[in-house]
Amino acid sequence: MKTRGTEIFRDQLIERRDFAALPSATVKIPGVGTPPEPGSYFASPELQRLIESTPGDQLGNRFGEFAGTISDSALPGPDSLVVITGAEEAELRGSGTASLVSNFTSNPYGGSAAGYTTVLIIGAIAVFFPVLLLISIVTGLGAAQRRERFATLRLIGASPRTVSHIAAVEIAIPSLIGAMAGVLAAALLSPATAQIPVNGTRIFVEDLRTGWLGAVTVVAVVVAASALVAAVRTARADVGPLGVSRVVHEKRPTAWRTVPLLLGLACMAAAVALIRILEFRLPWLESPLLVGGFLMVLAGIVAIGPWLTRMVSRAGARHARSAATVIAASRIQRTPVATFRSVSGLVIAVFVVSVFAGASSVIQSTDAPAARPGLLQPTSLHAAIGPGQSPAAVLGAATAAKELAGIRSAIVGYGPAALSERGSGSELFFSAADAPALGFTDIPASETVAVDGEFLYFWTAQPLELTPVPSGNMEGLVPVVMVLGTDGTPEAMDRARTALDSSGITATPAASTSDFQLQSSRRLIHGLSVLAYLGMFVAVAIAGLSLAVGTASAILDRQRVLGLMRLMGMPPFVLRRVITREAAVPLLSVLVLSIGLGFLTAWLMVTAIDDSYQVDWPEPGYFTALGLSLVLACCAVVATFGLVRGSTAMTVTRFE
């Protein structure tokens, strides 16, 4: 049998579990084994260090006698603050919040497991998709560089299938070496990566290691994807004995390319409607709709890019005022797919960054009310008194609490029954002499006053008023709550919290109106935002490399044409302007769409988890990531300017 609660020390959360072993119990607690004896506790190593370095009346007295540490296998990280305490069976049954435990699960998300697992899968796909685009672009660059060699093979009798196989093997070998180097780098960097705090704790190094099976799977997938893309792109290039056709004819993109994107959004919207509007819980359908919809949105952005690029280039060609603009617009209209492919990685990166930023900006709209008369003061703590406690024991605990340093008042509230954790709506009865210490200024002329039980809780935003109670109406009432007022210092707050939690008369942990900000899911969201921004960094870095490789591939693909322009007298700076415009037009054509779709996707994902979440304005880090994306785009294009001059030199063109 167990109860679940959360202790607070300063601004840190301590996960507490109270256990009572039944006589027939055979269940083993993860990380502990046999439940601790009543009055003793097991603590995580970090919590025990905190207990030993803090006066007992501020923390350690809440838990009892130290019985041992919790093993790392049951902790999320080395900085985790977790305590498992032993209690009497009757004590837990009387709390009203106890539950019988027959086994334990490794699932950390409980009923929301499907939603959070779906989000994690989507995050992994969002980071891996730019990698696939990079593989496609790199294989395209390799095909452009080996074009003449493939033509020679065709000339001496090699079939197109044989050439495709050779291209696949050529890309598979360096891919294998690169993938193995990546696995080795991941293993070497794991200790440093584990130092990054996520949700207030670092990560165990062992949790970052996938094992040999995961490493082999990643290497196999990367090598297979690289080889397959190389073979397909070489076969589609149609290399003949005399080389590749000088003019690449692409099928004109049409508005039908919007279908995958619309289908993806429809799938995600259907999942949200199923969960929030129809209120059906079908995990076997919700997750496929969200994950499949996200994949279609990613593919849809890549599919719709060439169509939008062609539309924009047609408009630009009508208003062209320079040779560079005319040449760039003409080439984009002829080859919109190839042109967009070079910037597709950065477009997807902007989309991924927007999704991460939107998801990590999730907030809950409830805020703590400002301190004012008629509301529980933020320097006070309260705890519900357990049923069956004698008034004498409660008054004795209040007297003992008032003797502690920093405790200014200890007030007992009476009622017809113990308040539940969220308040029962019953009235609380106090002595009128104690009302000023509770923060009231307008006090009726009566020995006893009453106030609504909602007075204790943070969601009460409007000040409440006291009502007079005629003498004699206190009969039949029992102590239901104790409120300790402090001087507001962290030491006094923790001392008061410890006094309440270790008094033996309370049924709920001590709480203040500011505690909910630590306990709300906002803390988890902010913790996960660390992972989100790491994902942003990875996506943007890969996208910058993709743009540089794609631009270089486009230059090599048109080396002869650009070289002939140089022979005709075109200055190199004009060619550089052409390359810049060819990268800028497709990027800017889809950039705004990617940002909007990113935040829409984030809203659909978080709404599917909990409709109380709201997507707020992103943090400054998002705009920094966007700025970094644009800087990388400029650097990637500028880095190819040397290739423009070298590959289009007059001597090179004449030799060819």
Side-chain angles (χ1 to χ4, degrees), residues 126-127 129-131 133 294 298 301-302 340 343-357 532 535-547 587 590-591 594-595 598 622 625-626 628-630 632:
V127 175
F129 200 83
V131 177
L133 290 176
F294 183 75
L298 280 172
I301 293 175
V302 176
F340 179 76
V343 301
S344 58
L346 196 59
V347 170
I348 290 298
V350 170
F351 169 76
V352 170
V353 166
S354 300
V355 172
F356 285 154
M536 290 184 194
F537 174 78
V538 173
V540 170
I542 294 174
L545 181 60
S546 299
L547 180 56
L587 179 61
V590 195
L591 195 64
S594 296
I595 294 173
Y622 169 69
L626 281 185
L628 179 61
S629 301
L630 296 178
L632 281 178

Side-chain angles (χ1 to χ4, degrees), residues 149-227:
R149 189 188 314 163
F150 291 158
T152 302
L153 292 175
R154 292 283 286 115
L155 186 61
I156 62 177
S159 65
R161 184 174 182 179
T162 301
V163 172
S164 297
H165 288 172
I166 293 174
V169 173
E170 284 187 344
I171 199 66
I173 294 175
S175 296
L176 177 62
I177 296 174
M180 294 177 65
V183 171
L184 178 61
L188 295 176
L189 293 176
S190 292
T193 306
Q195 302 305 311
I196 300 175
V198 178
N199 200 26
T201 180
R202 293 170 296 165
I203 305 172
F204 288 118
V205 177
E206 292 75 14
D207 293 339
L208 295 177
R209 292 173 177 163
T210 59
W212 67 268
L213 181 59
V216 170
T217 302
V218 170
V219 171
V221 169
V222 171
V223 174
S226 302

Side-chain angles (χ1 to χ4, degrees), residues 122 261-272 290 293-294 297 301 350-362 591-609 613-616 618 622:
I122 288 175
L261 178 61
L262 296 178
L263 284 177
L265 293 176
C267 287
M268 299 190 75
V272 174
L290 288 171
F294 183 75
V297 169
I301 293 175
V350 170
F351 169 76
V352 170
V353 166
S354 300
V355 172
F356 285 154
S360 62
S361 71
V362 169
L591 195 64
V592 176
L593 176 65
S594 296
I595 294 173
L597 287 174
F599 280 95
L600 176 60
T601 302
W603 178 80
L604 289 172
M605 286 193 303
V606 299
T607 302
I609 296 178
Y613 293 156
Q614 297 178 4
V615 176
D616 197 19
Y622 169 69

Side-chain angles (χ1 to χ4, degrees), residues 266-468:
C267 287
M268 299 190 75
V272 174
L274 186 68
I275 298 171
R276 298 301 164 202
I277 299 177
L278 301 179
E279 298 183 351
F280 288 160
R281 299 300 308 188
L282 300 173
W284 59 269
L285 180 60
E286 297 163 9
S287 183
L289 283 175
L290 288 171
V291 175
F294 183 75
L295 276 172
M296 283 191 285
V297 169
L298 280 172
I301 293 175
V302 176
I304 201 176
W307 179 66
L308 291 176
T309 297
R310 187 173 183 274
M311 296 296 102
V312 174
S313 66
R314 289 180 59 185
R318 288 195 295 267
H319 300 86
R321 295 293 184 269
S322 64
T325 304
V326 172
I327 296 172
S330 177
R331 194 251 175 175
I332 292 173
Q333 290 187 65
R334 289 199 318 273
T335 58
V337 176
T339 304
F340 179 76
R341 185 184 297 121
S342 62
V343 301
S344 58
L346 196 59
V347 170
I348 290 298
V350 170
F351 169 76
V352 170
V353 166
S354 300
V355 172
F356 285 154
S360 62
S361 71
V362 169
I363 63 170
Q364 288 180 300
S365 58
T366 306
D367 292 319
R372 47 183 169 164
L375 298 176
L376 185 66
Q377 301 304 297
T379 57
S380 298
L381 298 102
H382 72 276
I385 295 174
Q389 296 293 333
S390 67
V394 174
L395 292 175
T399 301
K402 282 192 292 187
E403 296 176 355
L404 298 175
I407 309 299
R408 294 181 172 178
S409 62
I411 302 168
V412 178
Y414 296 82
L419 296 176
S420 66
E421 185 178 352
R422 287 188 170 270
S424 62
S426 301
E427 284 189 312
L428 295 175
F429 297 85
F430 296 96
S431 170
D434 294 331
L438 293 173
F440 291 99
T441 56
D442 188 8
I443 304 172
S446 174
E447 291 186 1
T448 306
V449 293
V451 67
D452 191 281
E454 297 293 313
F455 164 75
L456 298 173
Y457 304 103
F458 69 85
W459 58 77
T460 304
Q462 297 300 321
L464 300 178
E465 296 182 356
L466 295 175
T467 57

Side-chain angles (χ1 to χ4, degrees), residues 565-566 568-578 644-645:
M565 290 182 182
R566 286 286 307 279
M568 294 171 59
M570 180 172 287
F573 73 86
V574 177
L575 295 182
R576 290 195 290 267
R577 290 179 180 176
V578 171
V644 172
R645 178 179 292 274

